[in-house]
Amino acid sequence: MPPRLIVLALLAALIPGLAMATPEPTKPVDLGRLMGRWHEILRTPNDHQRNCWAASQVWSARNDGRYSIRQTCHRGSRTGPTRNFDTVARVLNPPENTKFEASFFAGLIRQRYWIIDHADDYSWMIATSADGQFPALLARTPTLSASETNRLKARMRTLGLPTARLTPSEG
């Protein structure tokens, strides 16, 4: 193997995400059908959601063309005290409506998210951070059957998302 390829292979192994391209969304999103409550079924662990159970988010349209997202979780257990985070998001790629930029803490922090796939009836969606490193499976219901969850986790793998660290959204 030429030295240049060896160096690239080593860098890819040492720097997460370097070797994989972020998956692109598979189909457009109807923003009207996106509105409402989404429950996290699987997520990639992150500091923001440590000790967070039964996480959900509610999307609603605003008069200024952006979207409010209220993220809620229960601390300590499924029935623990709730903690809310309010976010404002804007679409980055109309008319596909699959890429969003969310601002937290009055715009001090901005993060981009992609909706990679969704059910035709909007019963579930696969979303991720723009770098593809924090995928999540969300559904309109608080739970999915084990077979449906496994099928959608396999779909996430097929789409090129990392699934090894996915955990149930129960803590």
Side-chain angles (χ1 to χ4, degrees):
M1 182 180 284
R4 187 180 324 176
L5 290 178
I6 293 171
V7 170
L8 287 175
L10 286 171
L11 283 173
L14 295 174
I15 302 171
L18 183 64
M20 83 179 238
T22 302
E24 284 295 315
T26 60
K27 55 189 164 189
V29 170
D30 176 337
L31 293 171
R33 296 187 75 190
L34 182 64
M35 299 302 108
R37 182 172 304 278
W38 290 93
H39 300 271
E40 279 189 356
I41 305 301
L42 296 172
R43 70 164 174 252
T44 304
N46 62 73
D47 290 339
H48 167 70
Q49 292 180 303
R50 185 172 288 133
N51 197 25
C52 183
W53 292 64
S56 66
Q57 48 187 252
V58 176
W59 288 65
S60 56
R62 296 167 41 122
N63 291 333
D64 62 5
R66 297 182 299 167
Y67 300 88
S68 293
I69 306 169
R70 171 158 274 194
Q71 299 175 334
T72 302
C73 77
H74 295 269
R75 290 297 183 185
S77 73
R78 294 185 72 74
T79 58
T82 58
R83 183 170 178 195
N84 296 312
F85 291 96
D86 292 318
T87 306
V88 175
R90 67 183 179 94
V91 176
L92 297 174
N93 68 333
E96 292 83 8
N97 305 324
T98 56
K99 298 180 179 184
F100 296 84
E101 181 178 74
S103 62
F104 301 84
F105 307 110
L108 292 174
I109 298 173
R110 296 182 187 278
Q111 179 67 45
R112 292 183 173 194
Y113 298 95
W114 293 179
I115 297 175
I116 300 296
D117 198 8
H118 60 82
D120 291 338
D121 66 359
Y122 287 78
S123 59
W124 58 261
M125 77 168 148
I126 296 168
T128 187
S129 53
D131 64 5
Q133 295 303 302
F134 290 91
L137 171 62
L138 297 102
R140 293 296 189 175
T141 57
T143 60
L144 293 176
S145 69
S147 63
E148 182 74 347
T149 300
N150 289 335
R151 183 184 74 77
L152 291 169
K153 187 175 180 179
R155 173 79 177 138
M156 294 168 86
R157 263 191 307 278
T158 299
L159 292 168
L161 292 166
T163 60
R165 294 181 46 225
L166 284 174
T167 61
S169 180
E170 297 185 311

